[in-house]
Amino acid sequence: MQIVGYETGDGGLLVSDGSADVEADARHPTAAVEYVPLDPGTELSYRLGDRHCAGVVTDDGHRPCDADGVPHCPDHTSTWVCARCTGTCLKDEMDCFDDHAIYLAAFAPDTFKVGVTKAYRLETRLREQGADRGAHLRTVDDGRIAREIEAELATEITDRVRVPTKRAGLGRAVDGAAWRALLDDFDPVETFDFDYGLDISERPVAETLATGRVRGTKGRLLVLDQGGSTYAVDLRDLVGYEVEEGGTDRRLQSSLGAFG
Protein backbone atom coordinates (compact mmCIF):
# COMPACT_ATOMS: atom_id res chain seq x y z
CA MET A 1 0.00 0.00 0.00
CA GLN A 2 1.03 3.60 -0.53
CA ILE A 3 -0.29 6.95 0.67
CA VAL A 4 -0.92 8.77 -2.61
CA GLY A 5 -2.78 11.90 -1.57
CA TYR A 6 -4.85 13.72 1.02
CA GLU A 7 -7.83 16.03 1.31
CA THR A 8 -8.07 19.08 3.51
CA GLY A 9 -11.29 20.49 4.94
CA ASP A 10 -12.90 17.48 6.59
CA GLY A 11 -9.55 15.67 6.30
CA GLY A 12 -8.75 12.34 4.66
CA LEU A 13 -5.94 10.19 3.29
CA LEU A 14 -5.91 8.51 -0.13
CA VAL A 15 -4.32 5.08 0.16
CA SER A 16 -3.57 2.91 -2.88
CA ASP A 17 -3.87 -0.83 -2.39
CA GLY A 18 -0.60 -1.18 -4.29
CA SER A 19 -1.76 -3.84 -6.76
CA ALA A 20 -1.96 -2.25 -10.20
CA ASP A 21 -4.27 -4.00 -12.66
CA VAL A 22 -1.91 -4.51 -15.60
CA GLU A 23 -4.39 -6.59 -17.59
CA ALA A 24 -6.96 -3.79 -17.64
CA ASP A 25 -4.50 -1.36 -19.30
CA ALA A 26 -0.94 -2.56 -19.88
CA ARG A 27 0.32 0.95 -20.71
CA HIS A 28 -1.34 2.67 -17.74
CA PRO A 29 -2.04 0.09 -15.01
CA THR A 30 -4.11 1.43 -12.13
CA ALA A 31 -4.67 0.39 -8.54
CA ALA A 32 -7.73 0.91 -6.37
CA VAL A 33 -7.69 3.88 -4.00
CA GLU A 34 -9.30 3.91 -0.55
CA TYR A 35 -10.36 7.12 1.15
CA VAL A 36 -9.44 7.00 4.85
CA PRO A 37 -11.39 9.67 6.78
CA LEU A 38 -9.54 11.50 9.54
CA ASP A 39 -12.51 12.06 11.80
CA PRO A 40 -11.85 12.75 15.52
CA GLY A 41 -11.47 9.46 17.40
CA THR A 42 -10.32 7.49 14.34
CA GLU A 43 -7.50 5.05 15.12
CA LEU A 44 -4.72 5.05 12.51
CA SER A 45 -2.28 2.17 12.44
CA TYR A 46 0.12 2.49 9.53
CA ARG A 47 3.86 1.76 9.63
CA LEU A 48 5.80 3.97 7.21
CA GLY A 49 8.27 2.24 4.89
CA ASP A 50 10.15 3.45 1.82
CA ARG A 51 9.10 6.70 0.16
CA HIS A 52 8.99 7.41 -3.57
CA CYS A 53 6.86 9.25 -6.11
CA ALA A 54 3.13 8.92 -5.42
CA GLY A 55 2.31 8.73 -9.11
CA VAL A 56 -1.05 10.17 -10.07
CA VAL A 57 -4.64 9.58 -8.97
CA THR A 58 -7.22 9.65 -11.76
CA ASP A 59 -10.90 8.84 -12.01
CA ASP A 60 -9.82 5.28 -12.89
CA GLY A 61 -7.62 4.83 -9.81
CA HIS A 62 -3.97 5.22 -8.89
CA ARG A 63 -1.22 5.04 -11.49
CA PRO A 64 1.97 4.20 -9.58
CA CYS A 65 5.47 5.50 -10.20
CA ASP A 66 8.77 4.18 -8.77
CA ALA A 67 10.80 7.35 -9.33
CA ASP A 68 12.73 8.82 -6.40
CA GLY A 69 11.15 12.31 -6.38
CA VAL A 70 8.82 12.93 -3.43
CA PRO A 71 6.04 13.50 -3.00
CA HIS A 72 6.05 13.53 -6.81
CA CYS A 73 8.79 13.23 -9.40
CA PRO A 74 9.12 15.91 -12.12
CA ASP A 75 6.93 13.90 -14.50
CA HIS A 76 4.07 13.93 -11.99
CA THR A 77 4.49 17.43 -10.58
CA SER A 78 2.02 19.99 -11.85
CA THR A 79 1.75 23.69 -11.06
CA TRP A 80 -1.57 25.52 -11.07
CA VAL A 81 -0.79 28.63 -13.10
CA CYS A 82 -3.58 30.64 -11.45
CA ALA A 83 -1.68 30.47 -8.15
CA ARG A 84 1.08 32.59 -9.73
CA CYS A 85 -1.29 35.09 -11.34
CA THR A 86 -1.05 38.75 -10.34
CA GLY A 87 -3.59 40.03 -12.85
CA THR A 88 -1.86 39.16 -16.14
CA CYS A 89 -3.34 35.82 -17.27
CA LEU A 90 -0.74 33.08 -17.75
CA LYS A 91 -3.07 30.82 -19.74
CA ASP A 92 -3.47 30.80 -23.51
CA GLU A 93 -7.00 32.11 -22.98
CA MET A 94 -8.47 33.61 -19.80
CA ASP A 95 -11.38 31.56 -18.43
CA CYS A 96 -11.91 32.78 -14.84
CA PHE A 97 -15.13 34.72 -15.28
CA ASP A 98 -16.82 33.58 -12.06
CA ASP A 99 -17.31 35.90 -9.09
CA HIS A 100 -14.16 35.93 -6.95
CA ALA A 101 -13.76 36.91 -3.30
CA ILE A 102 -10.79 38.76 -1.86
CA TYR A 103 -10.27 37.76 1.76
CA LEU A 104 -8.03 38.05 4.79
CA ALA A 105 -7.13 35.01 6.91
CA ALA A 106 -5.75 34.98 10.45
CA PHE A 107 -3.49 32.27 11.85
CA ALA A 108 -2.78 32.22 15.56
CA PRO A 109 -1.31 34.08 17.15
CA ASP A 110 -0.67 37.03 14.82
CA THR A 111 -0.01 36.00 11.21
CA PHE A 112 -2.38 37.45 8.62
CA LYS A 113 -2.58 36.83 4.87
CA VAL A 114 -4.54 38.06 1.89
CA GLY A 115 -6.01 35.63 -0.61
CA VAL A 116 -8.41 35.10 -3.51
CA THR A 117 -10.87 32.32 -4.21
CA LYS A 118 -14.07 31.75 -6.14
CA ALA A 119 -16.81 33.43 -4.14
CA TYR A 120 -18.86 30.27 -3.55
CA ARG A 121 -15.80 28.52 -2.05
CA LEU A 122 -14.78 31.23 0.41
CA GLU A 123 -15.57 29.51 3.72
CA THR A 124 -14.35 26.16 2.36
CA ARG A 125 -11.06 27.72 1.24
CA LEU A 126 -10.46 29.31 4.63
CA ARG A 127 -10.98 25.94 6.33
CA GLU A 128 -8.74 24.18 3.80
CA GLN A 129 -5.93 26.52 4.84
CA GLY A 130 -6.59 26.03 8.55
CA ALA A 131 -7.42 29.68 9.15
CA ASP A 132 -8.55 30.61 12.66
CA ARG A 133 -10.44 33.67 11.46
CA GLY A 134 -11.36 35.14 8.12
CA ALA A 135 -12.80 38.29 6.61
CA HIS A 136 -14.50 38.65 3.22
CA LEU A 137 -13.32 42.01 1.92
CA ARG A 138 -15.14 42.27 -1.41
CA THR A 139 -16.42 40.34 -4.42
CA VAL A 140 -15.40 41.13 -8.01
CA ASP A 141 -16.55 39.87 -11.39
CA ASP A 142 -13.56 37.76 -12.42
CA GLY A 143 -10.26 36.32 -11.33
CA ARG A 144 -8.10 38.85 -13.18
CA ILE A 145 -9.48 41.80 -11.21
CA ALA A 146 -9.28 39.80 -7.97
CA ARG A 147 -5.60 38.94 -8.54
CA GLU A 148 -4.76 42.57 -9.29
CA ILE A 149 -6.30 43.64 -5.99
CA GLU A 150 -4.59 40.78 -4.14
CA ALA A 151 -1.20 41.72 -5.62
CA GLU A 152 -1.67 45.32 -4.47
CA LEU A 153 -2.61 44.27 -0.92
CA ALA A 154 0.26 41.77 -0.86
CA THR A 155 2.74 44.63 -0.82
CA GLU A 156 1.62 45.18 2.80
CA ILE A 157 0.10 41.81 3.85
CA THR A 158 1.67 38.45 3.02
CA ASP A 159 -0.12 36.17 0.56
CA ARG A 160 1.55 32.96 1.78
CA VAL A 161 1.79 31.27 5.18
CA ARG A 162 3.99 28.19 5.59
CA VAL A 163 2.96 25.07 7.47
CA PRO A 164 5.58 25.49 10.26
CA THR A 165 4.03 28.87 11.10
CA LYS A 166 0.57 27.31 11.25
CA ARG A 167 1.88 24.43 13.36
CA ALA A 168 3.48 26.88 15.82
CA GLY A 169 0.05 28.44 16.33
CA LEU A 170 -1.72 25.22 17.34
CA GLY A 171 -3.30 25.58 20.76
CA ARG A 172 -2.91 29.37 20.72
CA ALA A 173 -5.50 32.12 20.26
CA VAL A 174 -5.52 34.85 17.65
CA ASP A 175 -4.32 38.25 18.85
CA GLY A 176 -7.74 39.89 18.74
CA ALA A 177 -6.42 43.43 19.03
CA ALA A 178 -4.04 42.97 16.07
CA TRP A 179 -6.81 41.37 13.98
CA ARG A 180 -9.26 44.19 14.73
CA ALA A 181 -6.60 46.79 13.95
CA LEU A 182 -6.03 45.17 10.55
CA LEU A 183 -9.77 45.08 9.79
CA ASP A 184 -10.09 48.77 10.71
CA ASP A 185 -8.46 49.51 7.35
CA PHE A 186 -11.28 47.69 5.54
CA ASP A 187 -15.06 47.32 5.67
CA PRO A 188 -15.54 43.52 5.56
CA VAL A 189 -18.66 42.06 3.98
CA GLU A 190 -18.54 39.18 6.48
CA THR A 191 -16.19 37.74 9.08
CA PHE A 192 -15.60 34.14 10.17
CA ASP A 193 -14.36 32.48 13.35
CA PHE A 194 -13.38 28.80 13.08
CA ASP A 195 -13.07 26.10 15.73
CA TYR A 196 -11.47 22.82 14.67
CA GLY A 197 -12.23 21.06 17.95
CA LEU A 198 -8.62 20.03 18.62
CA ASP A 199 -8.69 20.92 22.34
CA ILE A 200 -4.92 21.41 22.56
CA SER A 201 -3.40 22.75 25.77
CA GLU A 202 0.24 22.68 24.63
CA ARG A 203 2.02 22.77 21.30
CA PRO A 204 2.11 19.33 19.61
CA VAL A 205 5.40 17.76 18.57
CA ALA A 206 6.20 17.99 14.86
CA GLU A 207 6.46 14.43 13.48
CA THR A 208 5.81 12.33 10.39
CA LEU A 209 3.73 9.33 11.38
CA ALA A 210 0.37 7.71 10.65
CA THR A 211 -0.26 5.90 13.92
CA GLY A 212 -2.44 7.10 16.77
CA ARG A 213 -5.86 8.43 17.69
CA VAL A 214 -6.96 11.34 15.55
CA ARG A 215 -7.83 14.57 17.35
CA GLY A 216 -8.70 16.22 14.07
CA THR A 217 -7.27 18.17 11.18
CA LYS A 218 -6.61 21.85 10.68
CA GLY A 219 -5.86 22.56 7.06
CA ARG A 220 -2.92 20.36 6.08
CA LEU A 221 -2.12 19.51 9.70
CA LEU A 222 -3.19 16.18 11.20
CA VAL A 223 -3.18 16.12 15.01
CA LEU A 224 -2.66 12.68 16.59
CA ASP A 225 -2.39 11.32 20.13
CA GLN A 226 0.13 8.50 20.46
CA GLY A 227 1.90 7.06 23.50
CA GLY A 228 0.87 9.89 25.82
CA SER A 229 2.05 12.63 23.45
CA THR A 230 0.31 14.79 20.87
CA TYR A 231 1.80 15.13 17.39
CA ALA A 232 1.19 17.49 14.47
CA VAL A 233 1.74 15.89 11.06
CA ASP A 234 1.91 17.72 7.75
CA LEU A 235 -0.27 15.53 5.51
CA ARG A 236 1.88 16.38 2.51
CA ASP A 237 4.86 14.78 4.28
CA LEU A 238 3.01 11.43 4.30
CA VAL A 239 2.40 11.35 0.54
CA GLY A 240 4.58 8.81 -1.24
CA TYR A 241 5.22 6.52 1.72
CA GLU A 242 4.70 2.81 1.34
CA VAL A 243 2.71 1.68 4.38
CA GLU A 244 1.84 -1.50 6.22
CA GLU A 245 -0.84 -1.96 8.82
CA GLY A 246 0.39 -2.47 12.36
CA GLY A 247 1.46 0.92 13.67
CA THR A 248 4.81 2.64 13.93
CA ASP A 249 7.82 0.91 15.48
CA ARG A 250 9.98 4.07 15.53
CA ARG A 251 11.08 5.78 18.73
CA LEU A 252 9.25 9.12 18.78
CA GLN A 253 10.03 12.39 20.51
CA SER A 254 7.64 12.88 23.44
CA SER A 255 5.90 16.06 24.46
CA LEU A 256 6.48 17.51 27.93
CA GLY A 257 2.97 16.47 28.90
CA ALA A 258 3.90 12.82 28.47
CA PHE A 259 6.03 13.04 31.61
CA GLY A 260 3.39 14.69 33.80
Side-chain angles (χ1 to χ4, degrees), residues 4-17 32-39 44 46 217 235:
V4 295
Y6 62 90
E7 293 185 3
T8 54
D10 292 335
L13 288 175
L14 302 179
V15 180
S16 169
D17 70 5
V33 175
E34 178 187 2
Y35 178 78
V36 180
L38 299 174
D39 301 327
L44 293 181
Y46 292 117
T217 56
L235 289 172

Side-chain angles (χ1 to χ4, degrees), residues 19-260:
S19 55
D21 187 353
V22 178
E23 293 184 1
D25 188 337
R27 291 183 306 166
H28 302 292
T30 58
V33 175
E34 178 187 2
Y35 178 78
V36 180
L38 299 174
D39 301 327
T42 298
E43 292 284 354
L44 293 181
S45 184
Y46 292 117
R47 181 182 297 115
L48 304 183
D50 294 335
R51 193 182 187 203
H52 58 83
C53 176
V56 62
V57 177
T58 70
D59 291 340
D60 297 327
H62 171 233
R63 292 179 181 171
C65 175
D66 293 329
D68 291 335
V70 294
H72 297 94
C73 70
D75 288 342
H76 292 111
T77 298
S78 60
T79 301
W80 185 45
V81 296
C82 294
R84 304 199 309 268
C85 177
T86 58
T88 301
C89 188
L90 302 175
K91 296 180 178 179
D92 293 335
E93 183 177 350
M94 177 177 161
D95 59 2
C96 52
F97 296 107
D98 299 320
D99 286 351
H100 280 63
I102 299 100
Y103 65 85
L104 295 176
F107 302 88
D110 55 5
T111 299
F112 311 120
K113 71 163 290 235
V114 62
V116 163
T117 188
K118 290 185 178 181
Y120 75 90
R121 293 196 77 251
L122 175 56
E123 186 170 351
T124 298
R125 182 61 184 144
L126 288 165
R127 284 189 171 276
E128 286 175 346
Q129 296 178 80
D132 294 292
R133 297 188 188 182
H136 178 188
L137 301 184
R138 60 181 292 192
T139 301
V140 296
D141 292 339
D142 62 53
R144 180 185 62 79
I145 299 172
R147 290 296 186 181
E148 288 177 346
I149 296 171
E150 179 191 32
E152 182 178 351
L153 291 175
T155 61
E156 301 291 338
I157 307 167
T158 187
D159 59 358
R160 188 179 299 272
V161 180
R162 302 292 184 181
V163 167
T165 299
K166 298 178 182 180
R167 184 165 46 218
L170 288 173
R172 305 179 70 181
V174 172
D175 183 333
W179 176 241
R180 289 190 295 272
L182 177 62
L183 295 188
D184 282 345
D185 294 333
F186 304 93
D187 184 18
V189 177
E190 185 179 8
T191 57
F192 304 87
D193 194 346
F194 299 106
D195 182 0
Y196 298 87
L198 300 177
D199 191 26
I200 298 172
S201 58
E202 60 182 35
R203 186 183 305 177
V205 179
E207 254 294 359
T208 302
L209 76 160
T211 298
R213 179 181 290 271
V214 176
R215 279 190 183 233
T217 56
K218 189 171 188 261
R220 235 168 71 184
L221 290 171
L222 165 65
V223 181
L224 292 169
D225 289 329
Q226 168 66 12
S229 294
T230 301
Y231 298 95
V233 182
D234 184 346
L235 289 172
R236 188 175 186 271
D237 289 343
L238 293 177
V239 176
Y241 272 106
E242 298 281 352
V243 293
E244 296 180 359
E245 294 185 357
T248 185
D249 55 0
R250 288 192 296 116
R251 187 176 183 85
L252 303 173
Q253 179 182 346
S254 298
S255 62
L256 294 176
F259 304 101

